[in-house]
């Protein structure tokens, strides 16, 4: 019996070491799946989590965001300002989704972002999109300047399409992408084809004579 107890005791440090190693490995994998600028999920990680939301909930909004005026910020103020715009957009997504318990957001690459949100009631989607647009279009602070970017946002709702392949993430992303490009051609703003209310324009839209938004909210970006 004493020999068994001695062997078990001797194995405790080894087991503890493996536990620490496994925890560190898990954290490294988790970090690798996060975008380094924004902390949002990378494309693959986002798609896996969004697909799980679709499998578990009846009303899931799939949202695509593409920044307007990002290249101008980069060209005029430098790449550090562009990075600040990306970080501010990531923070905007987190802020807009803070009240949603079942949501996931990711940076797909460049200045393109996506989110999937399980809704208790689909009527909330236009308000979610409007809030997200206003967050992104708000000025952010960089190197002593207030800078802005606009956003074109498109959305698709899983319960708007028939069951089957149409409700898969790839199909909903394609619908959201079509809505986003329609919004972009109209000067920016948000577009969910099932909404009763018209889409809001961006500051980019104001420059072309289309309705725009105005906000005095300012965000800090390093």
């Amino acid at each position: 019996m004493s020999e068994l107890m001695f062997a078990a005791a001797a194995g405790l440090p080894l087991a503890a070491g493996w536990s620490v190693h496994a925890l560190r490995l898990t954290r490294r994998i988790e970090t690798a799946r996060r975008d380094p600028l924004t902390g949002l999920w990378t494309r693959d990680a986002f798609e896996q989590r969004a697909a799980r939301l679709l499998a578990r909930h009846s009303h899931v909004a799939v949202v695509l965001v593409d920044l307007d005026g990002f290249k101008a910020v980069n060209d005029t103020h430098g790449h550090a300002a562009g990075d600040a715009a990306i970080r501010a957009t990531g923070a905007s997504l987190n802020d807009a989704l803070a009240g949603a318990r079942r949501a996931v957001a990711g940076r797909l690459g460049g200045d393109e972002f996506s989110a999937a949100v399980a809704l208790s009631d689909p009527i909330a989607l236009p308000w979610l999109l409007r809030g997200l647009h206003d967050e992104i279009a708000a000025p952010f602070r960089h190197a002593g300047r207030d800078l802005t970017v606009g956003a074109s946002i498109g959305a698709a709702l899983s319960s708007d399409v028939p069951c089957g392949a149409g409700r898969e993430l790839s199909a909903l992303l394609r619908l959201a992408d079509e809505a986003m490009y329609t919004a972009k051609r109209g000067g920016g703003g948000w577009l969910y084809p099932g909404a009763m209310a018209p889409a809001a324009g961006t500051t980019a839209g104001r420059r072309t004579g289309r309705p725009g938004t105005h906000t005095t909210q300012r965000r800090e970006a390093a």
Side-chain angles (χ1 to χ4, degrees):
M1 177 67 72
S2 60
E3 291 179 355
L4 288 174
M5 292 179 64
F6 176 79
L12 284 176
L14 182 60
W18 275 111
S19 297
V20 171
H21 175 72
L23 180 61
R24 287 176 178 169
L25 183 60
T26 299
R27 287 177 176 172
R28 286 177 184 172
I29 293 173
E30 185 88 348
T31 300
R33 293 165 69 82
R34 295 279 188 175
D35 172 60
L37 267 183
T38 63
L40 300 178
W41 295 109
T42 58
R43 179 186 288 271
D44 288 346
F46 164 76
E47 289 181 349
Q48 290 174 8
R49 285 159 177 78
R52 285 201 291 268
L53 279 179
L54 284 167
R56 295 171 182 172
H57 302 284
S58 300
H59 308 292
V60 178
V62 175
V63 181
L64 273 180
V65 179
D66 192 76
L67 298 185
D68 298 327
F70 174 72
K71 185 176 185 300
V73 168
N74 245 339
D75 292 348
T76 303
H77 303 286
H79 290 295
D83 287 349
I86 294 297
R87 283 194 295 270
T89 302
S92 294
L93 271 165
N94 283 328
D95 290 346
L97 301 179
R101 291 183 300 170
R102 301 177 298 272
V104 59
R107 182 184 178 199
L108 303 186
D111 60 344
E112 188 175 28
F113 301 80
S114 190
V117 188
L119 303 173
S120 299
D121 191 332
I123 199 171
L125 181 52
W127 280 267
L128 173 69
L129 298 176
R130 186 179 298 114
L132 176 58
H133 174 265
D134 289 349
E135 284 275 356
I136 294 174
F140 63 92
R141 193 76 172 168
H142 173 71
R145 298 173 180 265
D146 285 338
L147 304 178
T148 59
V149 290
S152 295
I153 303 173
L157 188 63
S158 62
S159 50
D160 284 345
V161 299
C163 293
R167 284 197 183 183
E168 292 179 0
L169 180 61
S170 59
L172 291 167
L173 282 169
R174 185 165 57 251
L175 291 172
D177 187 64
E178 291 170 1
M180 183 268 289
Y181 274 106
T182 299
K184 188 175 286 290
R185 287 193 295 269
W190 61 269
L191 178 63
Y192 160 50
M196 298 299 293
T202 65
T203 50
R206 295 176 67 190
R207 290 195 292 271
T208 57
R210 298 179 178 88
T213 60
H214 176 72
T215 177
T216 56
Q217 180 184 1
R218 189 179 72 188
R219 292 166 289 145
E220 297 293 331

